[in-house]
């Protein structure tokens, strides 16, 4: 038995904030604004797992009105989603994600993201795909106003 889920996320880019993607600190003059650590990639993957389980979205489980999640490490959300899957007899089969960011180039960070995510997802990193795109100078991503992430996740019943 398989279930598939999709998730996406966008965060505004602002000065004086860290840019964390897939749990990895990316060196950048602009960081992601948000209630938690604003890790758009981790949020998209978390939402994809919730989606596969038809458990609503990340905001339903971790409302941004809740002070407990202020500057929270987003791996807390992802870990929770993986636990919810496990509790229903599912493990993550594979993940495919795309991060859209105009700059800096994410290539040097991709393998580290895959490895960090794989640990939390409790799978090997060869089952975690993270791709990077720019915004080609147009739209919110291209104008360096935002970072966006999209992910699909396959869950397998053990
Ligand atoms: Mg988010």
């Amino acid at each position: 038995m398989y279930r598939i889920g999709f998730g996406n996320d966008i965060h505004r880019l602002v000065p004086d904030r860290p840019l964390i993607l897939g749990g990895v600190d990316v060196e950048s003059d602009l960081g992601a604004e948000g209630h938690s650590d604003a890790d758009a990639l981790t949020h998209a993957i978390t939402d994809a797992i919730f989606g596969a389980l038809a458990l609503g979205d990340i905001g339903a489980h971790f409302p941004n009105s809740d002070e407990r999640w202020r500057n929270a490490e987003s791996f807390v959300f992802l870990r929770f989603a993986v636990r919810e899957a496990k509790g229903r007899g599912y493990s993550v089969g594979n993940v495919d994600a795309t991060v859209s960011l105009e700059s800096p180039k994410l290539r040097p960070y991709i393998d580290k993201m895959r490895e960090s995510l794989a640990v939390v997802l409790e799978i090997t990193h060869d089952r975690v795909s993270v791709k990077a795109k720019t915004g080609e100078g147009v739209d919110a991503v291209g104008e360096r106003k935002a970072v966006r992430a999209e992910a699909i996740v396959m869950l397998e019943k053990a």
Side-chain angles (χ1 to χ4, degrees), residues 9-11 43:
D9 197 27
I10 188 165
H11 282 266
H43 293 179

Side-chain angles (χ1 to χ4, degrees), residues 34-79:
H35 185 70
S36 65
D37 67 4
D39 182 339
L41 173 56
T42 298
H43 293 179
I45 296 171
T46 303
D47 245 356
I49 295 174
F50 286 140
L53 297 166
L55 285 180
D57 56 47
I58 192 169
H61 297 277
F62 301 99
N64 64 9
S65 53
D66 190 329
E67 279 305 308
R68 273 181 300 168
W69 315 122
R70 182 172 294 284
N71 295 319
E73 184 202 356
S74 293
F75 274 5
V76 170
F77 311 151
L78 185 57
R79 224 172 266 126

Side-chain angles (χ1 to χ4, degrees), residues 18-118:
L19 181 59
I20 297 167
L21 291 167
V24 175
D25 232 308
V26 173
E27 208 173 301
S28 170
D29 56 327
L30 299 177
E33 187 177 56
H35 185 70
S36 65
D37 67 4
D39 182 339
L41 173 56
T42 298
H43 293 179
I45 296 171
T46 303
D47 245 356
I49 295 174
F50 286 140
L53 297 166
L55 285 180
D57 56 47
I58 192 169
H61 297 277
F62 301 99
N64 64 9
S65 53
D66 190 329
E67 279 305 308
R68 273 181 300 168
W69 315 122
R70 182 172 294 284
N71 295 319
E73 184 202 356
S74 293
F75 274 5
V76 170
F77 311 151
L78 185 57
R79 224 172 266 126
F80 176 87
V82 170
R83 239 183 352 253
E84 290 292 303
K86 290 209 149 175
R88 288 163 176 79
Y90 288 94
S91 57
V92 176
N94 73 298
V95 172
D96 183 22
T98 300
V99 183
S100 298
L101 182 73
E102 195 65 6
S103 68
K105 287 273 183 278
L106 291 176
R107 184 156 311 196
Y109 300 97
I110 294 285
D111 282 343
K112 211 170 156 199
M113 290 175 194
R114 294 173 62 214
E115 273 159 31
S116 308
L117 289 163

